[in-house]
Amino acid sequence: MSALIVKIISFIAPLFAIIVLIRAVRSMFNGKTQTEIWGYIQTDEKVLRITHWENIIGRTRSADIHLSNPKVSRVHAVLIRTAKAKWRIFDIFSKGGVRVNGDPVGASGYPLNDGDIINLSDVSVRFRDINERQRSEIESRRVVTWKNVHPAVTLLYLSVFQIMILLEHCFTAASENVPEIALGFVLLILLEWFCYFLMRSLRKTGFEVEIIAFFLSTIGLSVIATSVPTEIFRQMIIVFAGVVAFFLLGAWMRDLDRTKTMRIPAAVIAIGLLAVTLVIGDVQNGAKNWIFIGSTSIQPSEFVKVAFIYVGAATLDRLFSTKNLIVFIGFSAVCVMALALMSDFGTALIFFATFLVISFMRSGSIATVALAVSGAGMAGFLMLKIKTHVAKRFAAWGHVWEDVYDTGYQQTHAMSAGAGGGLFGKGAGNGWLKDGFAANTDTVFSLVCEELGLLIAICAVLAVLSLAFFAVRNTAQGRSAYYSIAACATASMFTIQLALNVFGSVDILPFTGVTFPFVSRGGSSVLACWMLLAFIKAGDTRKGASFVVKAPDAKDKEAKA
Amino acid sequence: MRKVSLRSSFALIMALLVILGLCIYIIRYINHGEEWALYFDQATSSCTYTLTDRNGVVLAKMGNGEKTYAEDADVRTACYQLVGDYGGNVGTGALSSFTKELSGYNLITGIEAQDDVDLSLTVDSKLNVKAYEALNGRNGAVIVSNYKTGEILCMVSSASIDPNNPPTEIPDGAYINRCISSAFTPGSVFKLVTLTAAIENIDNLYQRSFTCNGSFEVNGLTVTCTGTHGTQTIEQALANSCNCAFGQLALELGADTIAEYAAKLGLTSSHQLDSITTAAGNFDKAEANSASLAWSGIGQYNDLVCPYSMLRLVSAVANGGTVVEPSLLGVSDTESEMLKGSTAAKIASMMSYNVTYHYGESTFPGLKICAKTGTAEVGDGQASHGWFVGFLDDDKHPYAFAVIVEHGGSGLGSAGAIANAVLQAAVND
Ligand SMILES: [Zn+2]
């Protein structure tokens, strides 16, 4: 009887997973791109809109304020709106120079006020600021995003999905573990609804990335429930802490100036953490990347991921500063080398790939060369350092079925168990892979395939990818390059991690043993994922959507008061 | 900002690559999923199933955390290699080979972890017990099938063990099913191959007479016979199992022709018994006009044959030249022509003549048996392997069989007696 119920649920649950995913994605990509407007540039012929906080003025097609006059340099100047709604202009590599009302402007910038005349070489334009009242008027005409796809309904579907997975566990788990598993799932459901009402009370409408994260956390919780049921309460505490960290980091990043001032301290803390790990860290599974404090173990490299993006992202004016670039390259090199010394190949690879993404997104002219050179240097060091570790794994890659009890052990067992699940799975708690080595981290994709089925596992992969697509789409309306770079770097980091985890475990890529974002067991990893999510949240500039993004009307009220 | 935004497409490309990777996985899953899923013994570890013989006697049962074998110790021992064990010691055992059937696997629903699966084998465990008793501690193999339906009714390999009480010292070869995984020197049963080649290649075979003086010389070497048979027809030569007659036929036919027939009759290649791959045999082509060639034509030299291949051969002879592929899972639906109908009929009548003329019908009371013995010399001063292969020419009981007793001595005395015991039980059931 109970077997029949589990079977029926396992056939219905994927449907709810698909609905949740489709609704979240529809909500993310609903409607046309609508830009925010922050000011205008008047030329002799036309009026150009300023749609970001940071804008490149120049002749290049990719300039935000595009002037076709041949006297203007390709990248002539950068126009930036600072935190207190003041504007500054910076001269960047221009041949003909920049003057404001006749005064020359240097690389350190020059304040701009409404009505100022800017001379770019001998092209003269007028800068028009807009006040907060005009801003909120424009803002009010932007589309409200959740009209079609109400997040509460999506959340309801998600809750039903969670209850179904819980029910499966109730039928399959050992009876002494059932209360704890039930408590874990109920707490997760309460937490997500609490977050939803918190958002509503803040008058924020965007809830898609949170829903995606809660969906992935549900699968993660199921993995814990089946493999280490006694840890489920601990896992819920970590998710709770992750959500708190997500809100705190998001709130912190509302103020870009404040965010920027903490970049150097963040870098120092990150390097300090890595140094401490190198000195007092413990070796587990060949990598010296654990610190034990009493009975709890933490993986500092996971938190360094957050710092890496925090430090790596930069505002547009800074992108052209050599000093800023050198700091970033130095920081990246130290991180990657420290990880290589710890023999944490997987994480080093993630850092290196993310470094390349950030480099690519920030690269200007000289910068490209410098980054390429340092990138190659780092890659070389990485290969030299980890050669022996990697050689074995690369040798096994593509040949795992030839050595199923040694180098191919984890992958072949994972593929076998995963294929045994079919499309709908054997039911949560019914698999055999859960008892295998590192099944709830390294080969978690196959564990999900086996118990919840290929359909739900694919949903989990697509859920992570939806975050990436969302981050990329948001860059088009990004306020600051800092937010855009941070969001895309996070998206890339998630994507790389996902690819290494999933494809490593099924022998499409070499096996590196990294975690599946939000799903793999591991407190540090889950906590770091929630913090990273704040970067993606910060890139969302749809009207009134993200709590990380300040709404102009709120500011207007402050001004009136 | 537009520049940053354009560059962000890099992240997009990575996401698309992941989707591509996912597609690769799905394609591989469709192509290899079954192979992957059933690879390890764990495949069926979470399943609930019952494996029975054709009469519903439970051979193995798994579920609710319990793993059991047949209740009766004799059944467990007699069916050990057929069933295999939960430790996967017998690679060809049903528990290891029929994981797909036992686990109810398919691509959409995967392995059936929740439903009860019942799988019944075609074997009759009573016949297995009978055959194991008849082997009486000697190493050997007994395999009986229905040549019209392909169902295997009896499949026993000895030495064997009781999986519930395995001895501390496992007897040599207890983990091997000799019926399908071993190849032995065939001795005179191989004369059926030389005979087939002769029938189809020598026009005046039936008009010829074969003289046996107890031995003959080839290139200075002597090929000996088991007796001095005088002048014989081909029928008598087969019944006498005369080495002189068949040795000379082999020389006349040549190594290429005999090798061709050994392959055509399926003795040198391996076969698929359901999902089990059986052992291949061997036939080395000896030099023309050599004693080795003569010996190879009478089942010695380097000749090796798997009992299962022998069963297929006699099944085809019994069934008018067409072999219905044997199966352990039910009535077979694949058949193919192994030899010409007319040839099969001639061989069948000669095998019948063997029994009436030489072996004696009284040895097989009540059975319309057609058979060929083999006494394969294995050298080293050890007793010969005794073979007995054939079939019942009986529409009600269309059974083919192959029996071998290692170092059993005379084929008729050792293997023939076992065949009689098992067939009596099968017919009088
Ligand atoms: Zn003779």
Side-chain angles (χ1 to χ4, degrees):
Chain A
M1 185 59 195
S2 64
L4 184 68
I5 296 173
V6 170
K7 188 168 180 155
I8 291 170
I9 296 175
S10 72
F11 277 99
I12 306 172
L15 185 69
F16 280 80
I18 291 166
I19 291 174
V20 168
L21 187 61
I22 288 177
R23 286 184 63 92
V25 169
R26 265 183 61 206
S27 179
M28 281 177 182
F29 299 97
N30 196 18
K32 240 176 68 200
T33 301
Q34 285 193 314
T35 49
E36 294 178 296
I37 292 168
W38 302 97
Y40 301 97
I41 294 287
Q42 293 175 338
T43 71
D44 293 342
E45 301 111 41
K46 54 191 171 183
V47 176
L48 300 165
R49 296 187 303 177
I50 302 172
T51 54
H52 307 282
W53 284 359
E54 294 159 10
N55 307 273
I56 289 176
I57 306 175
R59 191 163 44 80
T60 173
R61 301 284 319 165
S62 66
D64 301 295
I65 295 157
H66 171 64
L67 301 170
S68 49
N69 191 308
K71 296 243 173 79
V72 176
S73 297
R74 293 180 57 78
V75 177
H76 200 111
V78 168
L79 189 64
I80 286 188
R81 182 185 193 267
T82 58
K84 294 186 180 69
K86 299 285 182 231
W87 288 87
R88 279 183 94 80
I89 187 161
F90 299 79
D91 184 359
I92 309 282
F93 313 131
S94 77
K95 287 204 188 82
V98 180
R99 278 168 292 132
V100 175
N101 300 334
D103 292 339
V105 173
S108 57
Y110 194 92
L112 270 184
N113 291 304
D114 185 30
D116 284 352
I117 303 288
I118 307 170
N119 288 301
L120 305 149
S121 299
D122 49 9
V123 179
S124 146
V125 297
R126 183 183 288 273
F127 170 73
R128 303 304 313 233
D129 196 1
I130 49 176
N131 62 34
E132 287 303 327
R133 194 180 47 76
Q134 289 167 304
R135 267 278 301 144
S136 53
E137 212 168 273
I138 296 166
E139 182 70 10
S140 68
R141 277 185 250 125
R142 290 174 80 209
V143 163
V144 179
T145 51
W146 51 265
K147 257 183 184 158
N148 296 324
V149 189
H150 199 293
V153 179
T154 314
L155 203 53
L156 206 61
Y157 279 112
L158 179 60
S159 303
V160 174
F161 174 72
Q162 288 161 332
I163 289 166
M164 285 189 189
I165 301 293
L166 169 60
L167 269 178
E168 286 188 33
H169 280 292
C170 289
F171 283 113
T172 59
S175 54
E176 69 264 28
N177 293 325
V178 169
E180 199 169 348
I181 293 172
L183 181 67
F185 275 87
V186 169
L187 284 177
L188 183 64
I189 293 171
L190 289 177
L191 179 61
E192 70 205 21
W193 281 99
F194 174 77
C195 287
Y196 171 70
F197 286 113
L198 185 67
M199 288 294 183
R200 294 285 302 172
S201 69
L202 292 171
R203 295 169 176 275
K204 297 297 174 188
T205 56
F207 201 59
E208 302 91 345
V209 300
E210 289 91 336
I211 283 181
I212 293 287
F214 279 119
F215 169 67
L216 291 167
S217 298
T218 309
I219 295 171
L221 206 59
S222 176
V223 167
I224 299 288
T226 184
S227 58
V228 274
T230 50
E231 271 188 20
I232 201 155
F233 188 71
R234 177 180 168 272
Q235 179 77 5
M236 264 320 298
I237 302 216
I238 290 162
V239 173
F240 184 79
V243 172
V244 171
F246 165 71
F247 279 108
L248 289 180
L249 185 59
W252 173 261
M253 285 196 301
R254 284 166 68 95
D255 188 331
L256 191 54
D257 280 342
R258 184 170 62 191
T259 306
K260 273 157 51 179
T261 56
M262 285 305 288
R263 282 178 67 234
I264 299 293
V268 171
I269 292 169
I271 291 171
L273 264 177
L274 289 173
V276 168
T277 317
L278 270 176
V279 177
I280 64 158
D282 284 284
V283 179
Q284 281 204 350
N285 308 331
K288 189 181 180 179
N289 55 0
W290 291 88
I291 292 182
F292 284 88
I293 301 168
S295 61
T296 55
S297 58
I298 57 168
Q299 221 175 345
S301 56
E302 292 292 337
F303 300 104
V304 176
K305 280 180 189 168
V306 182
F308 189 69
I309 288 175
Y310 190 96
V311 174
T315 49
L316 208 50
D317 56 324
R318 290 284 161 189
L319 287 188
F320 298 98
S321 141
T322 319
K323 182 188 150 222
N324 186 289
L325 190 70
I326 289 168
V327 168
F328 172 58
I329 293 173
F331 176 61
S332 307
V334 169
C335 286
V336 173
M337 286 180 193
L339 288 164
L341 286 174
M342 292 175 200
S343 304
D344 189 350
F345 170 57
T347 315
L349 200 61
I350 292 168
F351 270 72
F352 182 62
T354 311
F355 167 74
L356 290 181
V357 172
I358 294 179
S359 311
F360 181 71
M361 288 191 69
R362 349 184 348 157
S363 58
S365 44
I366 329 157
T368 321
V369 183
L371 286 168
V373 169
S374 53
M378 244 187 273
F381 178 81
L382 203 64
M383 285 317 291
L384 277 179
K385 173 64 194 151
I386 52 183
K387 215 167 107 188
T388 46
H389 294 272
V390 181
K392 208 177 160 194
R393 280 173 172 165
F394 267 80
W397 177 34
H399 305 279
V400 294
W401 289 99
E402 288 156 29
D403 193 3
V404 298
Y405 291 108
D406 186 21
T407 52
Y409 186 90
Q410 277 181 278
Q411 301 95 308
T412 51
H413 281 72
M415 287 156 90
S416 178
L423 296 187
F424 304 99
K426 295 173 181 170
N430 271 342
W432 55 265
L433 187 65
K434 60 184 178 182
D435 301 321
F437 175 73
N440 52 19
T441 54
D442 297 356
T443 57
V444 74
F445 174 74
S446 295
L447 177 56
V448 174
C449 279
E450 185 190 19
E451 299 200 352
L452 305 180
L454 185 61
L455 292 178
I456 289 179
I458 290 175
C459 283
V461 171
L462 295 180
V464 176
L465 294 185
S466 74
L467 293 176
F469 286 118
F470 187 57
V472 170
R473 176 197 151 118
N474 286 337
T475 56
Q477 299 109 59
R479 287 182 177 177
S480 164
Y482 185 89
Y483 293 133
S484 293
I485 292 174
C488 284
T490 304
S492 307
M493 191 178 259
F494 279 159
T495 310
I496 295 158
Q497 237 177 290
L498 177 79
L500 288 176
N501 177 280
V502 173
F503 301 137
S505 72
V506 297
D507 202 30
I508 291 174
L509 290 178
F511 191 55
T512 46
V514 302
T515 55
F516 191 125
F518 296 99
V519 176
S520 282
R521 174 194 178 203
S524 308
S525 162
V526 168
L527 204 53
C529 283
W530 277 100
M531 291 169 82
L532 288 168
L533 195 66
F535 291 123
I536 290 180
K537 195 73 184 168
D540 178 8
T541 54
R542 292 170 305 169
K543 182 191 171 187
S546 171
F547 71 93
V548 183
V549 176
K550 274 187 191 168
D553 48 346
K555 189 155 202 169
D556 199 28
K557 274 175 206 153
E558 280 167 32
K560 273 176 196 162
Chain B
M1 281 305 293
R2 263 191 77 190
K3 194 170 174 177
V4 171
S5 174
L6 288 172
R7 294 262 162 121
S8 71
S9 52
F10 193 63
L12 211 60
I13 291 167
M14 288 203 300
L16 291 173
L17 283 176
V18 171
I19 290 178
L20 178 72
L22 204 58
C23 293
I24 293 174
Y25 175 70
I26 291 168
I27 291 167
R28 287 192 187 173
Y29 169 81
I30 292 168
N31 290 333
H32 303 288
E34 181 180 321
E35 204 180 308
W36 294 345
L38 304 173
Y39 191 89
F40 296 104
D41 289 327
Q42 285 100 320
T44 49
S45 65
S46 56
C47 299
T48 312
Y49 61 76
T50 311
L51 181 73
T52 61
D53 82 343
R54 66 185 297 119
N55 300 318
V57 175
V58 175
L59 299 177
K61 190 178 172 77
M62 173 137 112
N64 304 322
E66 281 184 63
K67 295 174 177 177
T68 56
Y69 299 104
E71 272 182 25
D72 187 283
D74 292 340
V75 173
R76 287 198 299 270
T77 310
C79 298
Y80 176 63
Q81 291 84 2
L82 169 69
V83 174
D85 60 29
Y86 295 110
N89 288 311
V90 185
T92 58
L95 294 181
S96 301
S97 299
F98 299 145
T99 45
K100 186 184 175 197
E101 289 78 8
L102 291 172
S103 65
Y105 181 84
N106 74 55
L107 211 58
I108 307 296
T109 56
I111 282 167
E112 281 299 342
Q114 294 134 35
D115 280 359
D116 295 346
V117 176
D118 291 308
L119 182 67
S120 82
L121 300 179
T122 54
V123 167
D124 182 341
S125 61
K126 285 200 304 294
L127 290 183
N128 264 27
V129 171
K130 202 82 189 167
Y132 188 76
E133 278 171 9
L135 275 162
N136 195 20
R138 292 167 294 179
N139 286 357
V142 180
I143 181 164
V144 179
S145 74
N146 180 321
Y147 54 77
K148 289 199 186 298
T149 63
E151 294 163 284
I152 291 183
L153 303 171
C154 172
M155 185 157 85
V156 172
S157 175
S158 171
S160 186
I161 60 166
D162 175 357
N164 270 7
N165 304 294
T168 44
E169 195 137 324
I170 302 292
D172 218 22
Y175 290 154
I176 295 166
N177 187 340
R178 288 167 159 80
C179 297
I180 51 179
S181 302
S182 302
F184 302 92
T185 305
S188 300
V189 290
F190 192 82
K191 284 174 185 155
L192 293 175
V193 178
T194 310
L195 176 67
T196 310
I199 290 173
E200 296 191 350
N201 290 281
I202 298 174
D203 292 338
N204 60 347
L205 185 68
Y206 284 86
Q207 287 76 52
R208 282 201 192 179
S209 64
F210 300 87
T211 312
C212 170
N213 299 318
S215 67
F216 70 102
E217 301 269 321
V218 191
N219 270 340
L221 292 169
T222 309
V223 176
T224 52
C225 190
T226 50
T228 306
H229 298 111
T231 304
Q232 323 150 77
T233 62
I234 185 69
E235 289 98 333
Q236 287 164 336
L238 185 73
N240 291 330
S241 200
C242 179
N243 287 352
C244 295
F246 281 88
Q248 275 158 346
L249 279 173
L251 293 176
E252 187 179 339
L253 289 161
D256 287 337
T257 308
I258 301 178
E260 182 197 319
Y261 274 86
K264 193 177 151 192
L265 301 182
L267 297 189
T268 48
S269 56
S270 61
H271 304 281
Q272 285 304 124
L273 168 57
D274 304 311
S275 53
I276 306 166
T277 304
T278 66
N282 185 59
F283 182 85
D284 285 348
K285 293 180 193 174
E287 267 180 56
N289 290 316
S290 66
S292 295
L293 175 56
W295 282 120
S296 75
I298 54 182
Q300 297 292 153
Y301 189 48
N302 297 332
D303 298 3
L304 290 172
V305 170
C306 172
Y308 178 78
S309 302
M310 221 51 234
L311 178 80
R312 277 180 86 247
L313 169 55
V314 290
S315 297
V317 170
N319 198 36
T322 301
V323 60
V324 180
E325 287 298 337
S327 169
L328 286 165
L329 296 174
V331 174
S332 177
D333 51 9
T334 45
E335 54 177 54
S336 56
E337 186 173 76
M338 189 189 281
L339 64 170
K340 283 185 209 154
S342 56
T343 311
K346 285 173 186 164
I347 297 168
S349 79
M350 280 193 256
M351 287 173 77
S352 169
Y353 178 72
N354 284 345
V355 177
T356 47
Y357 174 79
H358 194 276
Y359 311 156
E361 281 177 336
S362 58
T363 321
F364 306 97
L367 299 177
K368 294 180 200 162
I369 199 163
C370 309
K372 178 75 195 86
T373 56
T375 305
E377 291 166 29
V378 287
D380 299 336
Q382 289 180 288
S384 306
H385 289 340
W387 281 87
F388 198 68
V389 304
F391 57 91
L392 298 186
D393 184 17
D394 180 345
D395 280 343
K396 271 192 188 159
H397 306 289
Y399 305 148
F401 58 87
V403 179
I404 178 173
V405 182
E406 288 179 33
H407 313 300
S410 145
L412 183 62
S414 60
I418 295 170
N420 180 51
V422 176
L423 291 169
Q424 293 294 352
V427 169
N428 299 319
D429 189 15

